């Protein structure tokens, strides 16, 4: 199993309006070579979705992340058994006020879903069935692979969600369960394993091609973000 960032790859790529044109030529070239899969990361606010995504795409712990507004995109290309697989990861907003108008975009053409809770927050764990229901309401098919992740395992003294309870819930949905920490560098391989598990599942699917988000769709998403940010400067 090899994970490889190609020369010239942004180690941590976040699309923005300013660089979308520049990126598209580079990405068109890569898209011709790599199969692209859209993965969304969802769960309550503050559970560590951004930090997990950043750990996987950027290799480090993101200090002082801001609440996600709408969505952030990051991506990483993996070499699996000689094949390029590009994971396009949608880090979604946990706060209702920052996600409302974006939900349809999250679920459209999704290939895999990561449900995240915080092992130090029972409340975030109890929300998982609601996040799963939201997927069903948006017609995500049963064959879309899903994984459940308990984050912040480094905070051992503050744990509120026992592994046994989490395993029980994951089993009831037939999802794999991972417990990890975006913060603890020793857990880096576990974070990689979450995404690799999905990458291998997706790789064995029929060749699905996801187009890079077009410039107009990125523009639309970012204008939602900006409107939300303006409305929420409170
Ligand atoms: N101790 C510890 N703190 C973490 C970990 N992951 C994230 N955090 C902290 O948890 C807080 C929230 O992290 P984010 O990654 O922004 O959470 P989020 O789920 O993306 O939040 P929203 O964008 O509001 O949906 C930040 O203060 C992080 O530093 C972890 O593994 N361990």
């Amino acid at each position: 199993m090899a994970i490889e960032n190609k020369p010239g790859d942004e180690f941590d790529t976040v699309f923005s309006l300013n660089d979308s044109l520049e990126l598209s030529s580079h990405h068109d070239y890569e898209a011709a070579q790599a199969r692209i899969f859209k993965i969304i990361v969802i769960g309550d606010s503050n559970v560590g979705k951004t930090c997990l995504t950043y750990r996987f795409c950027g290799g480090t712990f993101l200090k002082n992340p801001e609440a996600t507004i709408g969505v952030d995109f990051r991506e990483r290309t993996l070499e699996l058994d000689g094949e390029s697989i590009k994971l396009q990861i949608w880090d979604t907003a946990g706060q209702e006020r920052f996600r409302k108008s974006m939900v349809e975009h999250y679920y459209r053409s999704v290939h895999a879903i990561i449900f995240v809770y915080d092992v130090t927050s029972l409340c975030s764990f109890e929300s998982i069935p609601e996040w799963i229901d939201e997927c069903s309401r948006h017609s995500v098919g049963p064959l879309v692979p899903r994984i459940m992740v308990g984050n912040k395992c480094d905070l051992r003294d503050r744990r509120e969600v026992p592994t046994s309870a989490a395993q029980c819930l994951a089993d009831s949905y037939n999802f794999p369960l991972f417990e990890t920490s975006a913060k603890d560098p020793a857990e880096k391989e576990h974070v990689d394993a979450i995404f690799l598990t999905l990458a291998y599942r997706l790789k064995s699917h029929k060749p699905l091609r996801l187009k890079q988000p077009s410039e107009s769709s990125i523009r639309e998403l970012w204008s939602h973000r900006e409107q939300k940010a303006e409305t929420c400067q409170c």
Side-chain angles (χ1 to χ4, degrees):
M1 176 192 307
I3 309 174
E4 195 177 282
N5 273 280
K6 293 212 183 109
D9 251 357
E10 296 276 348
F11 198 47
D12 169 46
T13 307
V14 181
F15 296 119
S16 76
L17 267 186
N18 296 337
D19 56 15
S20 58
L21 274 179
E22 209 178 307
L23 282 171
S24 62
S25 55
H26 171 61
H27 285 185
D28 284 350
Y29 170 74
E30 273 206 344
Q33 304 192 336
R35 285 160 70 195
I36 304 174
F37 295 101
K38 169 180 172 181
I39 296 177
I40 57 171
V41 185
I42 61 180
D44 280 5
S45 178
N46 224 37
V47 295
K49 299 180 295 297
T50 299
C51 289
L52 280 170
T53 308
Y54 197 89
R55 168 66 81 185
F56 177 67
C57 295
T60 55
F61 181 59
L62 181 63
K63 291 190 184 114
N64 308 319
E66 290 181 0
T68 305
I69 297 172
V71 65
D72 276 332
F73 306 97
R74 293 194 168 79
E75 61 182 33
R76 181 163 166 188
T77 302
L78 309 173
E79 289 292 323
L80 302 181
D81 305 330
E83 188 182 351
S84 282
I85 302 285
K86 182 180 284 195
L87 301 183
Q88 183 188 89
I89 302 160
W90 290 46
D91 168 23
T92 70
Q95 288 187 48
E96 181 61 21
R97 62 183 175 150
F98 290 148
R99 51 183 287 115
K100 259 186 191 155
S101 54
M102 312 286 285
V103 178
E104 295 296 332
H105 295 283
Y106 296 162
Y107 293 105
R108 195 175 299 154
S109 307
V110 67
H111 294 119
I113 303 175
I114 300 175
F115 297 98
V116 185
Y117 64 94
D118 169 354
V119 297
T120 71
S121 160
L122 191 56
C123 189
S124 72
F125 175 67
E126 288 174 347
S127 298
I128 293 286
E130 290 166 34
W131 291 111
I132 294 169
D133 286 351
E134 184 180 272
C135 293
S136 308
R137 283 200 301 280
H138 288 85
S139 314
V140 177
L143 295 179
V144 171
R146 294 154 167 90
I147 277 187
M148 210 167 101
V149 175
N151 188 37
K152 306 197 189 179
C153 284
D154 56 293
L155 301 174
R156 288 176 189 80
D157 299 343
R158 289 174 41 193
R159 187 186 263 269
E160 289 185 359
V161 184
T163 304
S164 54
Q167 192 62 62
C168 200
L169 184 68
D171 288 348
S172 72
Y173 287 106
N174 207 17
F175 299 165
L177 169 71
F178 285 77
E179 287 187 333
T180 193
S181 161
K183 185 173 188 179
D184 182 355
E187 286 286 311
K188 185 182 176 321
E189 284 184 8
H190 283 147
V191 174
D192 283 350
I194 296 163
F195 292 90
L196 275 168
T197 301
L198 287 176
Y200 272 107
R201 279 284 302 279
L202 293 168
K203 181 174 162 322
S204 61
H205 281 191
K206 277 185 282 178
L208 291 168
R209 271 205 187 275
L210 173 70
K211 282 192 191 152
Q212 254 341 102
S214 66
E215 202 195 340
S216 60
S217 68
I218 292 173
R219 203 176 284 282
E220 190 190 341
L221 289 170
W222 276 76
S223 79
H224 279 302
R225 264 183 70 123
E226 278 157 13
Q227 278 166 18
K228 285 269 159 199
E230 274 165 26
T231 330
C232 296
Q233 274 170 1
C234 37

